[in-house]
Amino acid sequence: MASSALASASAAAAAAAQMQKMQLMKGERHLFSSSDDNIVMKQTLETHSPDGREVDVRSLLYLIEDIMQRATPAILETPHTHLEVMEDRAHHAAVVGMLEALAYPIHRIAAEITYKCTSGGDAHATTIALLHTLSNYAWDAKVILVLAAFAVTYGEFWLTAQLHTINPLAKSVSLLKQLPDIFEHTHLLKPRFDAINNLIKAMVDVTKCIVEFKELPSEYISPESPDMSMAMTHIPTAVYWTIRSIVACSSQIIMLVGLGHEYISSTTEAWELSSLAHKVSNIHRHLTKQLALCHHHIDEKKHIETYQTLARLFEVAHLDNLKILRALMQSKDDLPLSDGTRKKRVGVDMLRRKIVMLFISDLDIPQEELLVLVQIYNDTHQGKLERPYEIVWLPVIDRHIPWNSGREETFNRLASMMPWYLMHHPSLLDRAVIKYIRDVWHFEKKPLLVVLDPQGKVVNPNALHMMWIWGTLAFPFTSNREAALWNEETWRLEFLADEIDPVILTWVREGRYVCLYGGEDIDWIRRFATSLRRVAQEAKIPLEMVYVGKSNPKERVKKAVGVIAAEKLSGYWQDPVMVWFFWVRLESMWHSKMQHGKSIEDDTIMQEVMTMLSFDGSDEGWAVISRGSVEMVKSQGKKLVDCLTQFDAWKETVETEGFIPALTNALIPYHTHEHCTRLILPGDNGRIKHQVICAQCKRPMEKFILYRCCND
């Protein structure tokens, strides 16, 4: 009889519960309408009366996530396995101490949820009641405390489920909760627990979002800023629907324990949970977008602050260079640099009170440039105990281009070639620093070598030109040293050829005539080389010829070298690095002179450099013929070949004047003002004068803009 009464009571309770759920579903659909949402939000806001009390929501969130990760319906199918162990960050002393103060509120909320759900309370009314209970807490604390209370109930349920087959106490408790009966019908329960799982994930995601809003630094974003203000208007909505979802999940677990699997035999309740999950997931997506806008606002503020700080640091004097270097290479990483020689991570302290040369480039560094710089760097150390300066590579990458395996491979390849210090990874270079490098040091495409003295002061905005022209003689690479070197310099073949080819310097010392010539017209090269050889034989002068190509030594220059070698027309440089270095030194001379405000009107070397660059910019060949350090003549190709062809007309003057003066005078009638040449100036970051005078005819040149890539 008692058994019959219990069965009747159970059936009545099940019917009542089912009716209640149907009513809740109807109410749920009704509350999803925007007009009723406004009423709900009004009621929600009326419960809010914070008194300033603080809760360590982040630590509590760690603990909640730990419980949710470990308590999972997957246990139903694999009761003797365990999830991957999470980091035990939720159990340190600070969290334990914080929980002592929150244990009672969490227990009280859990009890209130259980009472409301078992007594058939309306989900909306229960949610508002919980918000009243938590009226004195901030929004983030409200939702985290209710989620913690649910985590206790949810965790206890799954703890019993996990242990019921191996622990006698858990087995007895599970019998009272009818858990074995539930586990026998896992195929019926799977949609239910899948729905609960999805809703829990959405609830935790929204809660994490709310906590992140709370943690945004107030010094970079205020509640009044548009992005933050918009987010704050939606936080109460997010809190309400998260707590509402917690009530729904709690109700499912509580009713399941109380009534067994018979309580859930259809998919209606699963649909209810899925509807809530959809609602909460939409809220999460909206909050995530708003959070991204807030982070962007903060990043921009930090970006401006970092930029301004860096600019101020360069304006004042320092005892050493560490403040400057840390600002340039600031990173959460304490060891932002790699030592290219020892292949190990180091900090910026290694550079304290040293002359530091910042090698600034993108990942597209010409191989020739890198090889020559490495050679100069290594030559500096020979015979010395300690190098008087250090180079640091700052790789400036375009953040708009995705970082992929190809770019990573390029960076690693370049890094492996560098014996100096370098940023361990391009991502460590702050974008504010990149902006400063572009704005103040005018970095665009061509590499720079910015020199900082031991106190961090910029003493040369780009010493790369000095490095190419004079190598280690340019130390300490200051602008004053550059000016002093130019004052000592004269235009002569030794300066033009430098030590690119030591054989040329030997020829000069021996008093031989040396001809350097270039261009890519094979027919002209044949005519010129043949004509000059014939003239040299007739004039009985010792002549050496070297083909130096063009500043862009691509396929046509390689073909010309092949013809010259096969037909034995003259000497040539087999190594393309030598050709590149010859022309880059000339470009560097132009850059260097421009930095010191020189022009062809007031500087002889500048005039000679521009003449050479004019030769290279034309389609014709050209030649420079020199003897010793004093005599030198230069000319464009056609005029020179025409003049050499008419050697018989002026060869008598060779004996009286000498070959170079005689050739110089013989070339005068061939000069014409109808067309001089075109001048292709290397990029100078905006320092090209409005007017440039032709090095040949001394008239103003017409200005054009040329964009040249790697095409031959």
Side-chain angles (χ1 to χ4, degrees), residues 278-342:
H278 178 72
K279 175 91 173 179
V280 177
S281 295
N282 282 339
I283 291 172
H284 175 247
R285 279 192 292 272
H286 178 79
L287 288 181
T288 300
K289 291 177 182 177
Q290 207 60 37
L291 187 62
L293 291 173
C294 289
H295 278 303
H296 178 73
H297 177 91
I298 292 168
D299 288 344
E300 287 301 314
K301 282 289 190 70
K302 288 182 176 180
H303 172 71
I304 294 170
E305 182 182 76
T306 302
Y307 183 93
Q308 292 174 341
T309 299
L310 186 60
R312 284 194 298 269
L313 284 173
F314 274 108
E315 291 172 357
V316 298
H318 303 279
L319 293 175
D320 59 36
N321 55 4
L322 282 186
K323 278 188 177 181
I324 292 289
L325 294 177
R326 284 172 181 157
L328 284 169
M329 306 169 204
Q330 61 178 339
S331 169
K332 294 178 182 178
D333 195 326
D334 293 332
L335 303 174
L337 299 178
S338 291
D339 185 327
T341 301
R342 294 181 293 169

Side-chain angles (χ1 to χ4, degrees), residues 614-635:
S614 298
F615 287 163
D616 184 57
S618 70
D619 295 324
E620 298 183 50
W622 59 271
V624 171
I625 305 171
S626 175
R627 183 190 184 195
S629 297
V630 180
E631 296 182 328
M632 184 182 290
V633 62
K634 58 189 178 300
S635 177

Side-chain angles (χ1 to χ4, degrees), residues 386-497:
E386 185 177 359
R387 185 179 289 103
Y389 66 90
E390 289 295 348
I391 295 179
V392 179
W393 182 36
L394 302 185
V396 176
I397 61 171
D398 187 345
R399 301 291 176 93
H400 297 96
I401 301 176
W403 186 259
N404 53 32
S405 58
R407 302 185 82 200
E408 183 81 33
E409 184 180 337
T410 300
F411 169 74
N412 291 333
R413 176 179 58 80
L414 291 171
S416 67
M417 297 171 64
M418 297 180 180
W420 45 73
Y421 295 103
L422 58 137
M423 293 293 284
H424 178 66
H425 196 272
S427 60
L428 297 178
L429 198 62
D430 192 276
R431 68 187 185 95
V433 176
I434 293 176
K435 177 176 170 58
Y436 186 88
I437 287 171
R438 294 189 186 280
D439 290 353
V440 180
W441 294 340
H442 307 294
F443 171 75
E444 291 178 2
K445 177 68 178 174
K446 282 182 169 289
L448 299 178
L449 201 60
V450 179
V451 184
L452 308 181
D453 70 8
Q455 287 72 45
K457 179 183 177 182
V458 176
V459 291
N460 195 325
N462 188 11
L464 205 54
H465 313 311
M466 294 181 69
M467 192 72 89
W468 297 153
I469 300 168
W470 294 288
T472 55
L473 286 176
F475 180 82
F477 309 104
T478 63
S479 295
N480 289 337
R481 174 60 176 163
E482 189 172 17
L485 286 169
W486 276 126
N487 288 335
E488 299 170 4
E489 205 59 77
T490 57
W491 185 255
R492 63 198 193 286
L493 191 64
E494 298 99 306
F495 180 58
L496 177 60

Side-chain angles (χ1 to χ4, degrees), residues 637-710:
K638 186 178 183 304
K639 292 185 289 186
L640 189 55
V641 170
D642 290 345
C643 183
L644 292 173
T645 303
Q646 300 297 320
F647 178 62
D648 290 341
W650 54 273
K651 70 178 181 180
E652 293 182 359
T653 61
V654 172
E655 294 183 5
T656 56
E657 299 176 7
F659 181 75
I660 298 296
L663 177 57
T664 301
N665 292 329
L667 281 167
I668 293 175
Y670 294 93
H671 184 72
T672 174
H673 290 293
E674 292 178 3
H675 173 69
C676 291
T677 184
R678 68 172 180 263
L679 174 65
I680 300 178
L681 294 174
D684 72 329
N685 303 327
R687 288 188 296 271
I688 295 179
K689 290 184 176 183
H690 178 69
Q691 187 180 81
V692 176
I693 303 300
C694 176
Q696 298 290 323
C697 66
K698 306 301 186 288
R699 293 187 299 179
M701 301 184 75
E702 189 175 358
K703 183 177 180 180
F704 290 88
I705 297 176
L706 170 67
Y707 294 95
R708 185 171 66 183
C709 189
C710 54

